[in-house]
Amino acid sequence: MEDSKIGFDSKCVHAGVEEYEFGPVVPPIYQTSTFKFKSAEHGAALFRGEEEGYIYTRMKNPTVEAMEKAVAHLENGYKALGCGSGMAAIHTAFASLLESGDHVICSKAVYGPTATLLSTIMKKFGVKTDFVHTSGIEEVKNAIKPNTKVIYVETPGNPTLEISDIKEIAELAHQNNILLVVDNTFMSPALQRPLDLGADVVVHSLTKFLNGHADVVGGVIVVKDEEEYNKMRKTLNQLGGVIDPLNAFLVHRGLKTLALRMERHSKSAQKIAEFLENHSQVKWVMYPGLKSHPQYQIGQKQHIDSGGMISFELKGGVDAGRAVMNSVKFCQLAVSLGGVETLIQHPASMTHHSMGKEAREAAGITDGLVRLSVGIENVNDIISDLEQALKKAGETATHHQEELA
Ligand SMILES: *Cc1c(COP(=O)(O)O)cnc(C)c1O
């Protein structure tokens, strides 16, 4: 069937799967570090790039390649590069695209270690970064300098769920000869395809929705053309942060249910966000599917659905948030996101601790913000658990007030 006519859910099932020896339905795991040459001449030809084939797993491996093809296909990209973690993917992309003296504009609401990588290691190598609210095009425009090389956008941003207009920023970037890199981890290609909206490079933590089962750490870079791919592949070979065949196999298996999972994550998260928004103890809720979200309209333009991530703050602030996290029984208290199980965590003391309080506050990451990654369990079970935990948190708060009085 012609590719453009195939549904995204069908693509998830079949992407990257080719014909293999013995006819397996699923790509085999080539758990090998190296590959035999047919002759000395064959080996030399492979190294010269005159023949297609496999040499060494850090350079290329069929199981990894199958997963890379699948992700590139789902993102409507040219090719993808499997990395050992999301951070390895982000570092490889920066190392490939930037050099000393270059300037980067990065979203303020961004995965904590991404901000830290830019403000420490990349800075050490002569790259300067300005962190701005990329949800406002004027702020991005005002941050552009003659040496700006990359605009790095995470949308929705972690953990505030600030939404940036990919299409608008891509146009601005290209008018100024700047590349746009988008971290698409929170939405996945099931819900948002940044390359279609004009981005030049997409990065992902495979650890999250793409694998979806909380049993792999991995990352991926998706590029638009051959030139970019070759440059990126060279950098990855040298830095060495590749994914291994077994993890690539697991990610490829996870991708088959991506469309189904994202549909459920979004549907349940919408219900939970509405439940929280109507709860007397909740100060505010941020979810791309709520009309109260400040960039709701931008989201509606570029998302297919609203995703599985919610952040909220209780009226009782940090203490109440802590009480909820200590009282949940069904939701699990853990960092990471995008898996089938519901996870809850506290960014200020956990994922975004390394950013420092000042940078967190500038990004809108308040001390009382609680982040929820909605799983695919029965939504009523998740809501009942949150309800009992909120009740307990409320009782603790009243108790405290009585003690103080
Ligand atoms: C987790 C995450 C990363 C980093 O990925 P790792 O696989 O943990 O290295 C990057 N960006 C976002 C948005 C993430 O959630």
Side-chain angles (χ1 to χ4, degrees):
M1 220 193 302
E2 209 179 300
D3 194 63
S4 59
K5 295 208 181 99
I6 297 175
F8 185 84
D9 37 9
S10 302
K11 282 190 193 176
C12 287
V13 176
H14 296 289
V17 182
E18 290 173 359
E19 294 293 327
Y20 304 91
E21 199 184 4
F22 309 124
V25 170
V26 166
I29 307 170
Y30 287 93
Q31 189 75 16
T32 181
S33 59
T34 193
F35 297 84
K36 279 195 276 187
F37 305 133
K38 292 178 196 126
S39 65
E41 291 73 22
H42 174 229
L46 285 173
F47 269 95
R48 282 198 303 270
E50 289 166 8
E51 266 191 62
E52 277 288 313
Y54 300 95
I55 298 174
Y56 182 61
T57 283
R58 173 159 49 74
M59 300 159 80
K60 200 158 93 157
N61 172 288
T63 314
V64 175
E65 213 176 22
M67 180 278 289
E68 291 171 337
K69 274 188 187 155
V71 177
H73 193 57
L74 299 182
E75 282 284 4
N76 289 336
Y78 170 67
K79 276 184 185 175
L81 301 98
C83 301
S85 67
M87 287 315 297
I90 294 164
H91 179 212
T92 302
F94 286 154
S96 183
L97 301 173
L98 297 163
E99 57 188 52
S100 176
D102 286 344
H103 174 248
V104 175
I105 298 169
C106 179
S107 301
K108 258 191 182 154
V110 71
Y111 184 67
T114 304
T116 315
L117 169 68
L118 284 164
S119 59
T120 59
I121 296 172
M122 294 311 293
K123 188 176 163 206
K124 191 168 82 174
F125 289 99
V127 173
K128 291 217 174 101
T129 303
D130 278 314
F131 295 91
V132 308
H133 285 291
T134 47
S135 57
I137 195 74
E138 284 305 315
E139 272 205 50
V140 183
K141 206 181 273 177
N142 293 338
I144 294 175
K145 294 181 178 173
N147 59 337
T148 305
K149 194 79 159 285
V150 163
I151 299 178
Y152 184 92
V153 168
E154 195 178 294
T155 180
N158 186 354
T160 61
L161 300 164
E162 178 174 337
I163 297 169
S164 305
D165 190 326
I166 299 173
K167 198 161 175 235
E168 198 174 40
I169 298 174
E171 278 161 15
L172 176 68
H174 298 154
Q175 280 159 14
N176 292 278
N177 225 353
I178 298 168
L179 292 169
L180 174 62
V181 181
V182 174
D183 183 334
N184 200 27
T185 301
F186 267 35
M187 278 297 165
S188 93
L191 305 185
Q192 172 172 284
R193 282 159 228 146
L195 296 177
D196 289 354
L197 298 168
D200 300 285
V201 177
V202 166
V203 291
H204 271 283
S205 170
L206 291 173
T207 317
K208 316 295 169 52
F209 290 105
L210 291 190
N211 176 58
H213 292 76
D215 52 9
V216 165
V217 170
V220 73
I221 307 166
V222 189
V223 297
K224 274 197 327 198
D225 60 42
E226 178 77 18
E227 194 187 334
E228 207 167 47
Y229 173 77
N230 289 336
K231 210 177 131 197
M232 213 61 98
R233 179 59 76 183
K234 258 187 205 153
T235 310
L236 180 59
N237 282 345
Q238 284 161 23
L239 291 179
V242 294
I243 193 167
D244 65 273
L246 178 59
N247 277 340
F249 170 86
L250 287 169
V251 171
H252 203 166
R253 182 170 72 169
L255 287 177
K256 290 176 192 290
T257 55
L258 179 69
L260 265 180
R261 285 186 285 109
M262 294 316 295
E263 199 179 309
R264 173 62 85 88
H265 285 302
S266 304
K267 202 170 153 208
S268 296
Q270 182 74 38
K271 267 198 175 164
I272 295 166
E274 285 167 10
F275 158 77
L276 288 169
E277 197 168 48
N278 291 317
H279 197 285
S280 61
Q281 279 187 61
V282 176
K283 193 166 160 192
W284 54 258
V285 184
M286 212 53 93
Y287 179 66
L290 290 179
K291 291 213 170 73
S292 56
H293 190 295
Q295 295 93 31
Y296 176 77
Q297 294 303 340
I298 303 176
Q300 292 302 302
K301 250 187 357 186
Q302 70 187 16
H303 305 154
I304 292 154
D305 212 338
S306 303
M309 301 303 299
I310 300 172
S311 59
F312 62 96
E313 181 161 334
L314 300 182
K315 287 181 182 154
V318 193
D319 289 341
R322 193 172 295 133
V324 164
M325 285 182 281
N326 283 328
S327 306
V328 287
K329 295 190 179 110
F330 190 76
C331 305
Q332 301 180 57
L333 179 57
V335 298
S336 197
L337 57 105
V340 290
E341 43 293 275
T342 299
L343 302 179
I344 192 165
Q345 70 112 356
H346 179 231
S349 67
M350 297 171 186
T351 47
H352 292 69
H353 172 73
S354 72
M355 273 172 84
K357 194 174 166 75
E358 207 178 312
R360 271 199 309 275
E361 275 177 1
I365 309 167
T366 54
D367 281 347
L369 187 151
V370 174
R371 192 187 77 185
L372 194 66
S373 172
V374 176
I376 64 164
E377 302 99 334
N378 187 306
V379 67
N380 296 326
D381 295 332
I382 306 170
I383 291 177
S384 310
D385 191 35
L386 289 170
E387 202 159 24
Q388 68 80 22
L390 283 163
K391 191 159 170 256
K392 247 188 215 144
E395 283 162 9
T396 321
T398 322
H399 186 65
H400 270 302
Q401 273 166 7
E402 279 166 5
E403 272 178 359
L404 289 171

